[in-house]
Amino acid sequence: MATAAPAPKANMGKPAPRLDARAKVTGEARYASDVPINNPAYAFLLISAIAKGRLEWLDLDAARAVPGVLEIFTRENTAELKKIPFSAGGGGGATSIQNLGPEIAHDGQIIAMVVADSYEAAREGAYKIKASYAAETPSAGFGSAGTTEEDATKVSERHKEVPQAGDAEAALAASEVVVDAEYSTPTQHHNPIELFTTTCAWSDGQLTVYEPSQFVYGLKNTVAKALDIESDKVRVISPYVGGAFGSRGQMTPRTALVALAAKRLNRPVKLVATRDQGFTIATYRAETRHHIRLGARRDGKLTAYSHEGWEISSRPDPYVVAGVEESAHLYGFGAVKTKVTIVHADRNTPGFMRSPPVVPYIYALESAMDELAVKLGMDPVELRRINDTMTDPIKGKPYSSRSLMQCYDEAAKSFGWSRRNAQPGSMRDSDWLIGWGCATAVYPTHIGTATARVRLLANGEVRVQTAAHEIGNGAYTVIGQMAAERLGVPVSTVKVELGDSSLPPAPVAGGSNTTASTCSATLKACDAIRDKLFRAAVTADDSPLAGRSPNELKLADGKIVSGDGAGEKLEDVFKRLGAGAIEEYAEFIPEGLKPESVQQLYAGKGALTGGAHGKKLMYALGAEFVELRINAHTREIRVPRMVGAFAAGHIMNTRTTRSQYLGGMIWGIGSALHEATEIDPIRARYVNDNLADYLIPVNADIGEVDIILVPEEDKDVNPAGVKGLGELANVGTAAAVANAVYHATGKRIRDLPIRIEHLLGA
Ligand code: MOS
């Protein structure tokens, strides 16, 4: 690592309450669109009612006549906006489809924006625009006529090579037992409770953007490019985000449009897109299909793994998650063969959503592993044990740490797995068929270049500034804990400022890298402050610490103390320095990233490393067990209990970690049993684009959830020893549920979500 400070221990790992908890429960933490703005105008979008074809004309007369309507933005008067290339990484454009017509590339494409004195007038104006289309027959998705296919490695920047090892076809042909099965996952939408909003205000040529964001530096630089202005003319403010889940890491076309409107009208403009518009003006998780073949010996040792995946994307953009990049490292597979195909349809461009690569691919693999265990007549936990590995089956790299079987053993014990009768349908309780299932959770450990500025006052007050993002991940809290730990002050005296592009940059809040990256930068800045203080103490003749080595010193309770009991108050050290405060700025560059990654970060280009990309494989792992009860008559599916055990390196805060895992497993239940965006196969339009029809789990759907934190030490991942965990726990859940459905009913459901109708007759 670039900085080799020892992993701090004392303060860390405590269940410190969220620093932002009070702000959130009192409403002091505002959504971007609730920030008070002087004299705003209001924008309302008009979106396409067809998925493919041409917008022939717009009749704006009736809309212009609505009292209060100020201006209507269409392609006629927005041509000065520069086109932003699609970018599959953090930052950049979420889609290359940015034109307001005349070509229509997907349902719900923005074709006009009405700006008025009130929201109501803008909405009425939008409703009164008449649009005429020349519609063509769109391709909605898999199985539709007119889709085109591309090999992911040929078009995706992020997936140039797919994992391969040995001769998988030959190994499969020679395998004693083979599972050959197809799986599918549906379209899902993030549906963050905070809508897709943008408020823009100009002042003296400076633009301020209030928008929920997972990457304020990305948004700042990208909106500047679209407006063709210098990036230092733009500031993005997003201190709290009401849910993101991957939908807010890149710029969507709305931001530049609102910024242009505010400039034109010389007045702040606020856009709050509706819930249904959010389904098409931002990204989503595209549907996937999988063909898996697993080969094994009779004793359970895997000999071959072939995984072919298909993913839907828009016509122009090669978005793909290609989760084989992660799944291929999971077990000692023997020979491996993978292939990912992008299927282009007339759809908006998909994007990151909640553990994007692993959720669909691990669902398929972990279902297939269960099918293999059934075929072998073997306990599914034992099948994982036999194939557990500390070595990458693809390149032979070692894992930096891996505690998968410890997770299985702890979760199995707590769950009572040894009492399971493996015979499907055998664990019936009167009218309820009981099913027990398990599966592996895995998530790559990511880290990125990050910067932070820390100031320590003589009275022990600390301020940390970094443009990281609080998306519910507990960023304020762990960054505050890190500074408190290093500077020997209570967390309550640390003020953390995040989510503002006027602060030093931090990476996109994606890939679960935030804690590792920003805490490493915070630690480095704190250590620079310590160095200054310690040097000032040991080099002063009149200090009780004179002549000591800085290495023997510690900061605690507002004092510098040495191992031999000598100490000096911070105030006195500051007095000698003649300063009221010490401020340090630090740049943290993880091993594997280049020094220029700092400049790139300032320019809004984040880069993450880790997972399978370093010298060692870096992954967090877990094991999830679920109990289902399926009504023998109605096939109603209930989930009375779940147990998840997870190992993710050093845990900074057991309370926020537990919350992340709880939330993750609940999302997993959503994926398993509820969530799916329905698409009209003829018109290629989303049908259930509202929170009444888009099903998500509610309290009544969730029973007991037992979370076990399995201790793990990892000195390789980063100075703090932490692995990202926010996206870990929703990875294994869907497969665990599907496996439990099989155990309860004897019926293997390979297409998500699993609903009553799939089990009728089972
Ligand atoms: Mo998350 S889907 O990596 O923003």
Side-chain angles (χ1 to χ4, degrees), residues 190 214 244-249 285 319 351-357 443 446 471 508-513 608 727:
H190 313 81
Q214 288 172 263
F245 323 127
S247 66
R248 289 163 173 171
R285 191 201 299 279
Y319 182 83
F352 303 112
M353 179 165 162
R354 300 192 319 246
S355 340
Y443 196 77
H446 291 133
I471 57 171
V508 61
S512 301
N513 84 88
L608 300 180
E727 292 171 271

